[in-house]
């Protein structure tokens, strides 16, 4: 039992990130599918709106349940929020590039094809977002919170 507790302590942020990343991915995929195939919106517009909705979910879940970043000062909160959206904006560009290449260049334009492109895209983006969150956003804000 002690070994399981030690493993949990060592990997709990990764496990929480994967769980909430899964929730964020579901929000992203579901909203994208609904907008692109349900409402027949252009895939680029659907991607941006799906991104925005999933970033809102990701910010609060990452802050509270993954990285346990406390609400200390308005300044620290503002810096953290701006950094989070900035780095997620960078991964939005990656997201847009992957979707564009998959649908426009590689021809995955059917509903299933678009879904598979978005699924692959989300896996890549989740990994990059973890790196940004773990080492650049929530960690660096510990310094700001104590000023």
């Amino acid at each position: 039992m002690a070994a399981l507790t030690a493993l949990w302590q060592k990997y709990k942020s990764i496990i929480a990130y994967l769980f909430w990343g899964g929730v964020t991915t579901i929000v992203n995929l579901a909203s994208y599918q609904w907008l692109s195939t349900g409402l027949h919106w252009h895939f680029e517009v659907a991607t941006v709106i799906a991104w925005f909705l999933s970033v809102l979910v990701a910010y609060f879940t990452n802050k509270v349940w993954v990285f346990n970043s406390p609400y200390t000062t308005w300044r620290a909160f503002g810096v953290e929020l701006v950094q989070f959206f900035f780095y997620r904006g960078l991964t939005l560009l990656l997201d847009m590039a992957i979707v564009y290449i998959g649908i426009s260049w590689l021809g995955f334009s059917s509903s299933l094809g678009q879904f598979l492109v978005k699924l692959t895209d989300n896996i890549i983006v989740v990994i990059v977002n973890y790196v940004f969150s773990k080492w650049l956003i929530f960690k660096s804000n510990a310094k700001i919170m104590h000023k």
Side-chain angles (χ1 to χ4, degrees):
M1 188 55 111
L4 285 176
T5 302
L7 281 174
W8 169 253
Q9 289 303 318
K10 185 174 182 177
Y11 297 110
K12 70 180 176 182
S13 74
I14 292 172
I15 294 167
Y17 185 81
L18 290 173
F19 173 78
W20 290 111
V23 170
T24 301
T25 299
I26 291 168
V27 168
N28 188 286
L29 291 172
S31 57
Y32 176 83
Q33 283 298 111
W34 178 63
L35 294 168
S36 69
T37 59
L39 298 179
H40 305 289
W41 289 11
H42 193 271
F43 70 85
E44 289 172 336
V45 173
T47 296
V48 172
I49 293 171
W51 170 83
F52 182 78
L53 294 174
S54 62
V55 169
L56 285 177
V57 171
Y59 175 71
F60 290 106
T61 58
N62 277 238
K63 179 170 186 54
V64 175
W65 290 301
V66 177
F67 299 106
N68 301 310
S69 179
Y71 293 94
T72 54
T73 67
W74 284 106
R75 180 174 184 264
F77 177 75
V79 167
E80 189 176 75
L81 185 64
V82 167
Q83 285 180 337
F84 194 86
F85 272 87
F86 171 77
Y87 286 111
R88 289 309 193 266
L90 292 180
T91 58
L92 172 62
L93 297 175
L94 177 63
D95 185 355
M96 296 291 292
I98 292 168
V99 169
Y100 182 79
I101 290 166
I103 294 171
S104 296
W105 289 3
L106 300 177
F108 290 98
S109 57
S110 68
S111 293
L112 178 60
Q114 286 189 36
F115 179 80
L116 293 174
V117 168
K118 281 300 290 178
L119 181 62
T120 303
D121 165 51
N122 270 266
I123 291 167
I124 295 166
V125 167
V126 162
I127 293 167
V128 174
N129 282 337
Y130 182 80
V131 171
F132 285 159
S133 294
K134 176 82 173 167
W135 287 287
L136 298 175
I137 300 167
F138 295 109
K139 184 175 183 172
S140 67
N141 286 341
K143 298 172 192 168
I144 295 166
M145 289 180 206
H146 298 296
K147 285 186 178 179

